[in-house]
Amino acid sequence: MNHLRIDGKRLWRSLMDLAQIGATPKGGVRRLTLTDEDRRARDLFCRWAREAGLAVEVDGIGNLFARRAGADPGLAPVAMGSHLDSQPSGGKFDGAYGVMAGLEVLRTLNDAGVRTRAPLEVVSWTNEEGSRFTPVLMGSGVFCGAFTLEHVRAQKDLQGVSVGGALEKIGYAGAARPHKLGAYFEAHIEQGPVLENEGKTIGVVLGALGQRWYDVTVTGQDAHAGPTPMELRQDALIGASRLVLEVNRIARGFPDYARGTVGFLQVTPNSRNVIPGEARTTVDFRNAKASTLDAMCEELKRAAKAIEAECRVAIELRENVYFKPCEFDPALVGHVRASAAALGHPHRDIVSGAGHDAVSIARIAPAAMVFVPCAGGISHNEIESATPADLAAGCDVLLHAALRAAGVADASRAAA
Ligand SMILES: [Zn+2]
């Protein structure tokens, strides 16, 4: 099986044909979820899937499942997918790549006459982007049970159109029931600069960063800039400034892809000759491991206590967002890594800073992702770009990782 390769030209052609639907003058795509452009993209995908002999099903939130039978119908399918919707000025590859790569894997297995033990599926999840309708990750969220179908169907866009109404209008409110997945793989452009910077073709995605956000209020006392000696001040901005540096120090000092950002600062009364009595700021901590993320937050609380004493201010930390880190399934991640190595593609482990449908699916099934480089790390932009060679390499890794997960029953035309 090791010699088996996808058809990179066919994959590229499919991506370019798909990108005609909602094409923008700058070479990008505008294909907002559940619009007529989305319907046309769905129609095209379903036509291609049927031409490949796949059985297509649609569930209540419009997720599309295109299935290829396996030798053992009792096994849960190994799925590959992503999303066909885009941002208002999006690119040709974000999401579309994962769906087209999954389809290309099944076309390749058809051509080679390979039958897998477990069934295989290509999935297109509805409204990953969350641009026209919130919440984001809607289709995969309903599938994994994070949201109810009733709740999301009632959500409305700015024109007052509901998700339910839009689904019915484009004819994609289906009746398929949620089913078990044996495994889920998602191929995606990195949307960051790491792979390109290091000259790596494949990112073996270990998971997605968890996040803890704080609103911070530092309280001191307003006082006159002239008469108040330095040692008697209660300067809230000095306290906040110390905290900003501590956030940076903490993030640099912890492992597991630690990130720490302060992006907001508001000073009161904000007058050049008044010692600031209050400063409001924020902290955004991210990490791939829940325990390390917790340790960063404990360190922040200790630092705040020390600053309170030294600067004679009070610091209030209010946590307002907590997303748990997502760790992908070690066995599937291993399949991705082993496939990249066997195919001879330069690869590295990487953690996603952004959310993906795979993060939803990881709640209910083993999941993993394959990243490929995108030019300049830029996405959610019409200029988003990736090379045919990198996209083909990622699709080959997807093929072999899926074969490892599904098992090969027989290969009539493909020499072993
Ligand atoms: Zn995406």
PDB file of all heavy atoms in Angstrom, residues 82-83 85 93-96 128-129 186 188-189 191 355-357 380, ligand 1:
ATOM      1  N   SER A  82     -14.122  18.715   6.478  1.00  0.00           N
ATOM      2  CA  SER A  82     -13.910  20.092   6.924  1.00  0.00           C
ATOM      3  C   SER A  82     -15.172  20.858   6.520  1.00  0.00           C
ATOM      4  O   SER A  82     -16.265  20.303   6.667  1.00  0.00           O
ATOM      5  CB  SER A  82     -12.638  20.678   6.311  1.00  0.00           C
ATOM      6  OG  SER A  82     -12.204  21.822   7.019  1.00  0.00           O
ATOM      7  N   HIS A  83     -15.046  22.052   5.953  1.00  0.00           N
ATOM      8  CA  HIS A  83     -16.229  22.859   5.678  1.00  0.00           C
ATOM      9  C   HIS A  83     -16.145  23.542   4.313  1.00  0.00           C
ATOM     10  O   HIS A  83     -15.054  23.835   3.829  1.00  0.00           O
ATOM     11  CB  HIS A  83     -16.422  23.918   6.765  1.00  0.00           C
ATOM     12  CG  HIS A  83     -15.232  24.822   6.948  1.00  0.00           C
ATOM     13  ND1 HIS A  83     -15.140  26.059   6.377  1.00  0.00           N
ATOM     14  CD2 HIS A  83     -14.077  24.655   7.642  1.00  0.00           C
ATOM     15  CE1 HIS A  83     -13.994  26.623   6.714  1.00  0.00           C
ATOM     16  NE2 HIS A  83     -13.312  25.797   7.480  1.00  0.00           N
ATOM     17  N   ASP A  85     -18.133  26.394   3.695  1.00  0.00           N
ATOM     18  CA  ASP A  85     -18.475  27.817   3.823  1.00  0.00           C
ATOM     19  C   ASP A  85     -17.194  28.625   4.000  1.00  0.00           C
ATOM     20  O   ASP A  85     -16.135  28.078   4.321  1.00  0.00           O
ATOM     21  CB  ASP A  85     -19.441  28.062   4.994  1.00  0.00           C
ATOM     22  CG  ASP A  85     -18.827  27.806   6.367  1.00  0.00           C
ATOM     23  OD1 ASP A  85     -18.093  26.798   6.495  1.00  0.00           O
ATOM     24  OD2 ASP A  85     -19.053  28.594   7.295  1.00  0.00           O
ATOM     25  N   PHE A  93      -8.908  27.897   0.066  1.00  0.00           N
ATOM     26  CA  PHE A  93      -8.409  26.657   0.662  1.00  0.00           C
ATOM     27  C   PHE A  93      -8.925  26.360   2.069  1.00  0.00           C
ATOM     28  O   PHE A  93      -9.050  25.205   2.445  1.00  0.00           O
ATOM     29  CB  PHE A  93      -6.877  26.681   0.669  1.00  0.00           C
ATOM     30  CG  PHE A  93      -6.294  26.912  -0.692  1.00  0.00           C
ATOM     31  CD1 PHE A  93      -5.823  28.161  -1.071  1.00  0.00           C
ATOM     32  CD2 PHE A  93      -6.275  25.883  -1.623  1.00  0.00           C
ATOM     33  CE1 PHE A  93      -5.313  28.378  -2.351  1.00  0.00           C
ATOM     34  CE2 PHE A  93      -5.772  26.085  -2.906  1.00  0.00           C
ATOM     35  CZ  PHE A  93      -5.285  27.335  -3.270  1.00  0.00           C
ATOM     36  N   ASP A  94      -9.204  27.408   2.844  1.00  0.00           N
ATOM     37  CA  ASP A  94      -9.684  27.231   4.213  1.00  0.00           C
ATOM     38  C   ASP A  94     -10.981  26.429   4.187  1.00  0.00           C
ATOM     39  O   ASP A  94     -11.992  26.913   3.693  1.00  0.00           O
ATOM     40  CB  ASP A  94      -9.902  28.611   4.847  1.00  0.00           C
ATOM     41  CG  ASP A  94     -10.465  28.544   6.266  1.00  0.00           C
ATOM     42  OD1 ASP A  94     -10.754  27.441   6.753  1.00  0.00           O
ATOM     43  OD2 ASP A  94     -10.616  29.614   6.885  1.00  0.00           O
ATOM     44  N   GLY A  95     -10.951  25.208   4.696  1.00  0.00           N
ATOM     45  CA  GLY A  95     -12.140  24.366   4.731  1.00  0.00           C
ATOM     46  C   GLY A  95     -12.306  23.550   3.467  1.00  0.00           C
ATOM     47  O   GLY A  95     -12.371  22.324   3.522  1.00  0.00           O
ATOM     48  N   ALA A  96     -12.344  24.232   2.306  1.00  0.00           N
ATOM     49  CA  ALA A  96     -12.537  23.523   1.030  1.00  0.00           C
ATOM     50  C   ALA A  96     -11.478  22.438   0.851  1.00  0.00           C
ATOM     51  O   ALA A  96     -11.769  21.342   0.355  1.00  0.00           O
ATOM     52  CB  ALA A  96     -12.471  24.524  -0.129  1.00  0.00           C
ATOM     53  N   GLU A 128     -18.999  26.363   9.664  1.00  0.00           N
ATOM     54  CA  GLU A 128     -17.830  26.336  10.538  1.00  0.00           C
ATOM     55  C   GLU A 128     -17.434  27.748  10.920  1.00  0.00           C
ATOM     56  O   GLU A 128     -16.995  28.021  12.040  1.00  0.00           O
ATOM     57  CB  GLU A 128     -16.660  25.638   9.822  1.00  0.00           C
ATOM     58  CG  GLU A 128     -15.455  25.383  10.723  1.00  0.00           C
ATOM     59  CD  GLU A 128     -14.452  26.527  10.772  1.00  0.00           C
ATOM     60  OE1 GLU A 128     -14.562  27.484   9.991  1.00  0.00           O
ATOM     61  OE2 GLU A 128     -13.550  26.471  11.624  1.00  0.00           O
ATOM     62  N   GLU A 129     -17.585  28.685   9.968  1.00  0.00           N
ATOM     63  CA  GLU A 129     -17.006  30.022  10.150  1.00  0.00           C
ATOM     64  C   GLU A 129     -17.737  30.897  11.158  1.00  0.00           C
ATOM     65  O   GLU A 129     -17.134  31.755  11.780  1.00  0.00           O
ATOM     66  CB  GLU A 129     -16.931  30.750   8.800  1.00  0.00           C
ATOM     67  CG  GLU A 129     -16.035  30.063   7.753  1.00  0.00           C
ATOM     68  CD  GLU A 129     -14.547  30.224   8.059  1.00  0.00           C
ATOM     69  OE1 GLU A 129     -14.197  30.823   9.084  1.00  0.00           O
ATOM     70  OE2 GLU A 129     -13.737  29.738   7.235  1.00  0.00           O
ATOM     71  N   GLU A 186      -8.941  15.657   9.769  1.00  0.00           N
ATOM     72  CA  GLU A 186      -9.211  16.897   9.039  1.00  0.00           C
ATOM     73  C   GLU A 186      -7.906  17.470   8.512  1.00  0.00           C
ATOM     74  O   GLU A 186      -6.988  17.759   9.279  1.00  0.00           O
ATOM     75  CB  GLU A 186      -9.910  17.912   9.959  1.00  0.00           C
ATOM     76  CG  GLU A 186     -10.277  19.206   9.230  1.00  0.00           C
ATOM     77  CD  GLU A 186     -11.298  20.072   9.986  1.00  0.00           C
ATOM     78  OE1 GLU A 186     -11.908  19.576  10.957  1.00  0.00           O
ATOM     79  OE2 GLU A 186     -11.480  21.230   9.591  1.00  0.00           O
ATOM     80  N   HIS A 188      -6.098  20.643   6.695  1.00  0.00           N
ATOM     81  CA  HIS A 188      -6.401  22.081   6.704  1.00  0.00           C
ATOM     82  C   HIS A 188      -5.112  22.855   6.458  1.00  0.00           C
ATOM     83  O   HIS A 188      -4.038  22.392   6.820  1.00  0.00           O
ATOM     84  CB  HIS A 188      -6.989  22.461   8.073  1.00  0.00           C
ATOM     85  CG  HIS A 188      -7.896  23.657   8.035  1.00  0.00           C
ATOM     86  ND1 HIS A 188      -7.428  24.945   7.960  1.00  0.00           N
ATOM     87  CD2 HIS A 188      -9.255  23.748   8.063  1.00  0.00           C
ATOM     88  CE1 HIS A 188      -8.467  25.778   7.948  1.00  0.00           C
ATOM     89  NE2 HIS A 188      -9.591  25.082   8.000  1.00  0.00           N
ATOM     90  N   ILE A 189      -5.228  24.029   5.851  1.00  0.00           N
ATOM     91  CA  ILE A 189      -4.054  24.913   5.807  1.00  0.00           C
ATOM     92  C   ILE A 189      -3.761  25.391   7.225  1.00  0.00           C
ATOM     93  O   ILE A 189      -4.664  25.504   8.051  1.00  0.00           O
ATOM     94  CB  ILE A 189      -4.285  26.116   4.860  1.00  0.00           C
ATOM     95  CG1 ILE A 189      -5.559  26.868   5.245  1.00  0.00           C
ATOM     96  CG2 ILE A 189      -4.324  25.653   3.406  1.00  0.00           C
ATOM     97  CD1 ILE A 189      -5.689  28.216   4.537  1.00  0.00           C
ATOM     98  N   GLN A 191      -2.859  28.282   8.533  1.00  0.00           N
ATOM     99  CA  GLN A 191      -3.354  29.605   8.932  1.00  0.00           C
ATOM    100  C   GLN A 191      -2.383  30.324   9.853  1.00  0.00           C
ATOM    101  O   GLN A 191      -2.762  31.248  10.555  1.00  0.00           O
ATOM    102  CB  GLN A 191      -4.743  29.524   9.584  1.00  0.00           C
ATOM    103  CG  GLN A 191      -5.770  28.853   8.674  1.00  0.00           C
ATOM    104  CD  GLN A 191      -7.147  28.783   9.295  1.00  0.00           C
ATOM    105  OE1 GLN A 191      -7.405  27.945  10.150  1.00  0.00           O
ATOM    106  NE2 GLN A 191      -8.048  29.637   8.854  1.00  0.00           N
ATOM    107  N   GLY A 355      -9.706  27.459  16.245  1.00  0.00           N
ATOM    108  CA  GLY A 355     -10.680  26.382  16.385  1.00  0.00           C
ATOM    109  C   GLY A 355     -10.943  25.714  15.038  1.00  0.00           C
ATOM    110  O   GLY A 355     -10.790  26.344  13.989  1.00  0.00           O
ATOM    111  N   HIS A 356     -11.317  24.436  15.057  1.00  0.00           N
ATOM    112  CA  HIS A 356     -11.655  23.689  13.841  1.00  0.00           C
ATOM    113  C   HIS A 356     -12.751  22.692  14.187  1.00  0.00           C
ATOM    114  O   HIS A 356     -12.923  22.329  15.351  1.00  0.00           O
ATOM    115  CB  HIS A 356     -10.430  22.920  13.320  1.00  0.00           C
ATOM    116  CG  HIS A 356      -9.345  23.802  12.777  1.00  0.00           C
ATOM    117  ND1 HIS A 356      -9.472  24.490  11.599  1.00  0.00           N
ATOM    118  CD2 HIS A 356      -8.124  24.118  13.271  1.00  0.00           C
ATOM    119  CE1 HIS A 356      -8.373  25.189  11.371  1.00  0.00           C
ATOM    120  NE2 HIS A 356      -7.543  24.981  12.377  1.00  0.00           N
ATOM    121  N   ASP A 357     -13.451  22.199  13.149  1.00  0.00           N
ATOM    122  CA  ASP A 357     -14.475  21.177  13.388  1.00  0.00           C
ATOM    123  C   ASP A 357     -13.890  19.971  14.124  1.00  0.00           C
ATOM    124  O   ASP A 357     -14.573  19.342  14.938  1.00  0.00           O
ATOM    125  CB  ASP A 357     -15.093  20.738  12.057  1.00  0.00           C
ATOM    126  CG  ASP A 357     -15.931  21.844  11.425  1.00  0.00           C
ATOM    127  OD1 ASP A 357     -16.801  22.409  12.118  1.00  0.00           O
ATOM    128  OD2 ASP A 357     -15.697  22.162  10.241  1.00  0.00           O
ATOM    129  N   HIS A 380      -8.307  33.685   6.016  1.00  0.00           N
ATOM    130  CA  HIS A 380      -9.434  34.606   6.197  1.00  0.00           C
ATOM    131  C   HIS A 380      -9.152  35.861   5.361  1.00  0.00           C
ATOM    132  O   HIS A 380      -9.393  36.989   5.785  1.00  0.00           O
ATOM    133  CB  HIS A 380      -9.660  34.964   7.681  1.00  0.00           C
ATOM    134  CG  HIS A 380     -10.290  33.826   8.447  1.00  0.00           C
ATOM    135  ND1 HIS A 380     -10.746  33.945   9.732  1.00  0.00           N
ATOM    136  CD2 HIS A 380     -10.533  32.547   8.085  1.00  0.00           C
ATOM    137  CE1 HIS A 380     -11.257  32.800  10.138  1.00  0.00           C
ATOM    138  NE2 HIS A 380     -11.130  31.936   9.151  1.00  0.00           N
TER     139      HIS A 380
HETATM  140 ZN    ZN B   1     -11.345  26.332   8.298  1.00  0.00          ZN
END
